[in-house]
């Protein structure tokens, strides 16, 4: 109960900081940035703050972490103490340090995967919408067939074939999620390609790559950015789940999903330590969702 | 009425066609392998004799279309071949586990569907109230949580105190009451995960309808809000709600994988995860086919049901 109280206290403090930051941004900024700060709801400010903290921790992990990522520095399953603020794990590595490095590994890998899925899915989707005809038909029907299989099941099938290394994890999840991005990018781009300015650019004699890069992409950015946030959440949860199942990122690399799996036995003794990495995952996903919600709200033009 | 039957038959045949394509995708996954499946399975150090023996055992010497045909006809009669890792028939491995997984999914559905419908209707009825805000924030949070996080929180709260067991030890002789008791935590985890989504969609569907003129009319007649929702809005919101329920039941199929591992539940998901780490492609293909078939079937049922409940789609001109 004491722990639950401190979690609630921590979250309240984060909300308070977000509120203060928003208030100071409103008073100090001017112009476009000012209207953005005026528009932002508290939940989105909280989300941005959390994302910023995660980014700082991930980038400066070696400077913050008290111990190296993979070194055994104490006994097994030590309790929380001054030397090891969050105790040690199953083979005596410092939990806090691994949690901090996990921000770098887990989030980094999820981000790389999302980016890859996005680049592939968006370019193919827009290309299919632009070209139309048989290329569109072939790609769309292929994606339809792949989407008829549940994502996790399809990832598991592909991981069996390509083995469970980090590289194949990234490629497999990116491939599975690229099908979802393809759907959205194609749907969005179909609305854009019928515009007159596309016709004009075609008459100027511009190539497909120019059209995608300079005409269609800038005009379909808003839904794609929101989709990037949502997609990141899905990818992040998928990678964490697979790591938790022992099929994703593996020890000794510090990763939040596999850390839960490794230390899960502690939970049956009433120790909350293994829940911390899972909580880190949940907090980041909630934060991203809050920001995406705000972006979608802005994009849809709704006020109030 | 013949219209309905024809529509259902068309949908079912489309579903079967889709399932056929899905089976083709699942089967051809092995063909994507760079190099030879047998060599991949045995590793680089395998002798040519063992590779040849495994090739013969797997039937890899046959051409791919023939192997696909054998695999598919086998699967249709319940014979999925032999597990690569321990040589047992896959149908034996699947047998009771399939029943366990279906039991868990149905249990979770029986809990989550009524809860999410009631919560969704209440949230729509008291829109923008304190209850609505709390329910919405809770739902958004629950959607963002990884399943294992929810599961372990429940273990910490409910299993730690000794109310419910944290591991599920069931076998075919366990009676129904014990089964319900022992699988309560996994079912509750799944319920929490899917309820959030279903509740949000139910709320959205009903709020959408509340803006239509005939609801305005009912309100002007002086009907009570509850009666408006139950008699006027709900029947018209049935189609989207049925869709959401079916999609979430389909989601349960993948959700069970993680939850089964957390609670050491003897189901298909656990079998599949073990098979993936052993790289036992035969078992993975068999389980993937079952999951995909259930997924396609649920989407098909949703499609048919939402058409039947919508008169505009039923009598399309």
């Amino acid at each position: 109960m004491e722990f639950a109280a401190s979690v609630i206290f921590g979250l309240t403090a984060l909300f308070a900081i977000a509120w203060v930051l928003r208030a100071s941004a409103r008073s100090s900024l001017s112009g476009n940035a000012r209207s953005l700060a005026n528009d932002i709801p508290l939940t989105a400010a909280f989300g941005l703050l959390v994302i910023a903290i995660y980014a700082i921790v991930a980038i400066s992990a070696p400077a913050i972490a008290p111990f190296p990522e993979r070194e055994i520095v104490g006994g097994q399953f030590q309790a929380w103490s001054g030397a090891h603020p969050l105790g040690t794990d199953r083979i005596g590595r410092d939990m806090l340090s691994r949690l901090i490095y996990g921000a770098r590994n887990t989030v980094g890998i999820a981000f790389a995967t999302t980016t890859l899925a996005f680049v592939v899915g968006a370019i193919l989707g827009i290309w299919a919408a632009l070209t139309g005809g048989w290329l569109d038909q072939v790609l769309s029907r292929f994606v339809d067939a792949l989407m008829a299989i549940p994502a996790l099941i399809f990832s598991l099938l592909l991981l069996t074939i390509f083995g469970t290394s980090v590289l194949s994890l990234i490629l497999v999840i990116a491939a599975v999620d690229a099908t979802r991005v393809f759907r959205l990018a194609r749907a969005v781009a179909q609305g854009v390609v019928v515009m007159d300015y596309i016709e004009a650019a075609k008459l100027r004699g511009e190539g497909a790559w120019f059209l995608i890069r300079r005409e269609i992409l800038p005009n379909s950015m808003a839904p794609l950015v929101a989709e990037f946030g949502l997609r990141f959440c899905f990818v992040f949860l998928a990678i964490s789940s697979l790591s938790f199942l022992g099929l994703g990122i593996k020890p000794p690399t510090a990763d939040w999903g596999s850390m839960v799996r490794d230390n899960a036995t502690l939970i049956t003794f009433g120790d909350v330590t293994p829940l911390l990495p899972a909580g880190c995952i949940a907090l980041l996903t909630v934060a991203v969702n809050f920001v995406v919600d705000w972006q979608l709200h802005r994009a849809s033009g709704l006020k109030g | 009425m013949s219209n309905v039957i024809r529509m259902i038959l068309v949908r079912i045949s489309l579903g079967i066609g889709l399932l056929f394509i899905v089976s083709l995708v699942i089967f051809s996954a092995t063909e994507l392998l760079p190099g030879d499946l047998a060599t991949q399975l045995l590793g680089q150090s395998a002798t040519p004799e063992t590779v040849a023996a495994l090739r013969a055992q797997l039937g890899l010497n046959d051409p791919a279309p023939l192997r696909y045909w054998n695999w598919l006809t086998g699967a249709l009669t319940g014979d999925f071949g032999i597990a690569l890792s321990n040589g047992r028939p896959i149908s034996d491995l699947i047998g009771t586990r399939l029943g366990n997984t279906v039991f868990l999914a149905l249990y979770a559905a029986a809990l989550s569907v009524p809860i999410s419908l009631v919560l969704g209707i209440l949230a729509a009825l008291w829109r923008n109230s304190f209850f609505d805000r709390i329910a919405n924030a809770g739902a958004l949070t629950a959607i963002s949580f990884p399943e294992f996080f929810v599961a372990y929180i429940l273990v910490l709260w409910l299993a730690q105190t000794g109310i419910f067991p944290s591991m599920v030890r069931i076998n075919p002789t366990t009676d129904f009451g014990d089964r319900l008791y022992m699988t309560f935590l996994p079912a509750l985890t799944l319920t929490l995960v899917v309820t959030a989504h279903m509740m949000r969609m139910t709320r959205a569907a009903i709020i959408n309808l509340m803006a239509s003129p005939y609801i305005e009319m009912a309100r002007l007649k002086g009907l009570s809000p509850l009666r408006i929702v139950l008699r006027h809005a709900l029947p018209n919101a049935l189609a989207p709600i049925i869709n959401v329920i079916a999609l979430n039941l389909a989601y349960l199929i993948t959700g069970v994988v993680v939850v089964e591992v957390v609670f050491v539940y003897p189901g298909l998901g656990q079998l599949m995860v073990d098979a993936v780490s052993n790289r036992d492609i035969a078992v993975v293909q068999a389980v993937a086919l079952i999951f995909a078939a259930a997924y396609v079937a649920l989407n098909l049922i949703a499609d048919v049901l939402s058409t039947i409940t919508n008169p505009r789609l039923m009598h399309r001109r």
Side-chain angles (χ1 to χ4, degrees):
Chain A
M1 252 14 257
E2 200 180 303
F3 179 74
S6 58
V7 167
I8 291 170
F9 176 76
L11 289 177
T12 318
L14 276 176
F15 265 108
I17 296 171
W19 190 81
V20 169
L21 282 177
R22 184 178 67 165
S24 63
R26 277 177 183 172
S27 58
S28 64
L29 294 173
S30 58
N32 259 347
R34 171 76 179 270
S35 64
L36 201 65
N38 277 334
D39 176 54
I40 190 168
L42 186 58
T43 48
F46 167 81
L48 286 176
L49 176 69
V50 170
I51 293 171
I53 293 174
Y54 273 68
I56 292 169
V57 169
I59 291 165
S60 55
I64 306 177
F67 294 96
E69 178 185 355
R70 302 174 181 198
E71 207 165 290
I72 296 168
V73 291
Q76 302 173 354
F77 290 142
Q78 280 180 1
W80 296 12
S81 65
H84 302 287
L86 299 179
T88 58
D89 73 355
R90 197 169 52 100
I91 59 171
R93 292 171 294 206
D94 184 54
M95 274 302 275
L96 178 64
S97 307
R98 286 181 70 72
L99 214 54
I100 290 171
Y101 274 100
R104 175 176 268 202
N105 300 329
T106 316
V107 180
I109 288 173
F111 191 75
T113 311
T114 317
T115 313
L116 183 62
F118 229 78
V119 170
V120 173
I123 290 181
L124 284 181
I126 295 175
W127 189 39
L130 181 66
T131 318
W134 65 267
L135 177 87
D136 186 25
Q137 284 299 320
V138 168
L139 280 177
S140 300
R141 294 296 84 76
F142 181 66
V143 164
D144 284 351
L146 293 189
M147 281 181 68
I149 307 173
L152 181 66
I153 304 301
F154 195 46
S155 325
L156 286 175
L157 180 70
L158 291 180
L159 280 176
T160 322
I161 296 164
F162 297 112
T164 54
S165 68
V166 170
L167 181 67
S168 59
L169 177 77
I170 292 177
L171 293 179
V172 163
I173 303 279
V176 171
D177 279 88
T179 57
R180 274 76 178 167
V181 178
F182 173 89
R183 266 278 180 89
L184 181 93
R186 178 174 168 273
V188 171
Q190 270 183 332
V192 178
V193 290
V194 292
M195 295 289 178
D196 287 343
Y197 54 82
I198 299 289
E199 191 71 15
K202 275 184 184 165
L203 289 175
R204 278 206 312 272
E206 305 289 3
W209 179 236
F210 179 91
L211 285 174
I212 293 175
R213 198 164 43 91
R214 298 296 299 275
E215 305 282 352
I216 303 175
L217 257 185
N219 284 299
S220 42
M221 223 45 210
L224 285 183
V225 167
E227 168 72 6
F228 187 87
L230 277 184
R231 203 36 60 195
F232 174 80
C233 290
F234 285 123
V235 167
F236 188 48
L237 288 178
I239 288 183
S240 307
S241 297
L242 287 173
S243 301
F244 172 76
L245 295 174
L247 307 170
I249 311 166
K250 288 187 182 146
T253 307
D255 160 74
W256 290 337
S258 55
M259 279 167 78
V260 177
R261 171 196 179 85
D262 259 18
N263 303 303
T265 37
L266 282 182
I267 294 173
T268 41
F269 298 106
D271 189 335
V272 293
T273 317
L275 283 180
L276 295 177
C280 289
I281 297 169
L283 183 61
L284 182 59
T285 344
V286 172
V288 173
N289 264 325
F290 279 158
V291 176
V292 168
D293 242 27
W294 170 51
Q295 285 296 326
L296 281 176
H297 200 70
R298 266 163 54 88
S300 67
L302 294 170
K303 292 283 170 235
Chain B
M1 210 53 200
S2 68
N3 237 349
V4 187
I5 294 168
R6 197 185 326 137
M7 185 274 292
I8 292 176
L9 285 179
V10 168
R11 294 290 157 89
I12 288 178
S13 51
L14 280 177
I16 291 174
L18 182 61
L19 201 53
F20 179 73
I21 295 168
V22 165
S23 75
L24 204 60
V25 171
I26 290 175
F27 175 80
S28 57
T30 50
E31 307 296 315
L32 283 175
L33 262 184
D36 180 45
L37 177 66
T39 328
Q40 281 276 326
L41 289 171
L42 291 170
Q44 291 298 325
S45 56
T47 60
E49 290 81 41
T50 47
V51 173
L54 188 63
R55 283 187 68 85
Q57 187 203 337
L58 297 178
L60 285 180
N61 296 322
D62 297 333
L66 180 63
R67 269 185 293 136
Y68 172 65
W69 178 249
N70 288 339
W71 178 70
L72 190 65
T73 47
L76 286 178
T77 52
D79 172 22
F80 288 97
I82 286 173
L84 303 180
S85 51
N86 54 15
R88 288 175 58 192
I90 295 174
S91 44
D92 283 7
L93 294 172
I94 289 175
T96 52
R97 283 170 179 268
L98 178 60
N100 287 342
T101 293
V102 169
F103 174 77
L104 178 58
L106 286 181
Y107 191 0
L111 286 176
S112 59
V113 172
I115 292 177
S116 49
L117 284 186
V118 169
L119 283 181
I121 290 173
L122 287 182
L125 205 57
W126 300 326
R127 184 159 30 132
N128 293 334
S129 68
F130 184 68
F131 170 80
D132 183 31
R133 278 160 202 269
I134 291 289
N136 257 321
L140 192 63
T141 318
I143 290 172
S144 312
F145 279 10
E147 285 109 344
F148 54 88
F149 188 42
V150 178
Y152 280 128
I153 290 178
L154 290 179
V155 168
L156 198 64
W157 277 357
L158 295 176
Q160 247 293 295
T161 44
I163 306 174
F164 292 102
S166 65
M167 279 197 199
V168 184
R169 291 197 193 80
I170 57 171
N171 52 51
T173 56
T174 316
D175 69 42
F176 189 69
D178 279 352
R179 233 167 224 264
L180 283 183
Y181 168 68
M182 282 199 273
T183 45
F184 181 71
L185 281 188
L188 187 62
T189 309
L190 286 170
T191 303
L192 287 177
V193 173
V194 294
T195 295
H197 196 215
M198 282 199 267
M199 189 213 97
R200 271 169 77 100
M201 296 300 283
T202 308
R203 174 182 178 276
I206 290 187
I207 284 183
N208 216 0
L209 279 171
M210 293 302 260
S212 33
Y214 70 92
I215 299 288
E216 187 77 44
M217 178 67 202
R219 203 175 285 139
L220 290 175
K221 276 196 301 190
L223 296 183
S224 72
L226 190 67
R227 193 176 156 79
I228 292 175
V229 168
L230 291 182
R231 277 294 290 141
H232 296 259
L234 198 56
N236 286 298
L238 265 185
I241 291 176
I242 287 173
N243 256 320
V244 169
I245 291 176
L247 276 182
N248 277 281
L249 294 188
Y251 175 79
L252 278 179
I253 296 170
T254 50
V256 292
V257 175
V258 173
V259 172
E260 280 181 5
V261 171
V262 172
F263 291 99
V264 204
Y265 186 84
L268 278 186
Q270 179 111 48
L271 178 71
M272 184 163 188
V273 170
D274 289 345
V276 174
S277 44
N278 293 333
R279 299 196 66 183
D280 190 337
I281 187 74
V283 175
V284 173
Q285 278 178 325
V287 180
L289 187 65
I290 294 175
F291 278 140
Y295 191 71
V296 170
L298 279 169
N299 279 313
L300 182 72
I301 292 171
D303 201 17
V304 170
L305 280 183
S306 58
T307 314
I308 289 177
T309 50
N310 188 341
R312 286 203 200 104
L313 290 178
M314 278 286 281
H315 307 287
R316 208 187 320 213
R317 271 160 288 174

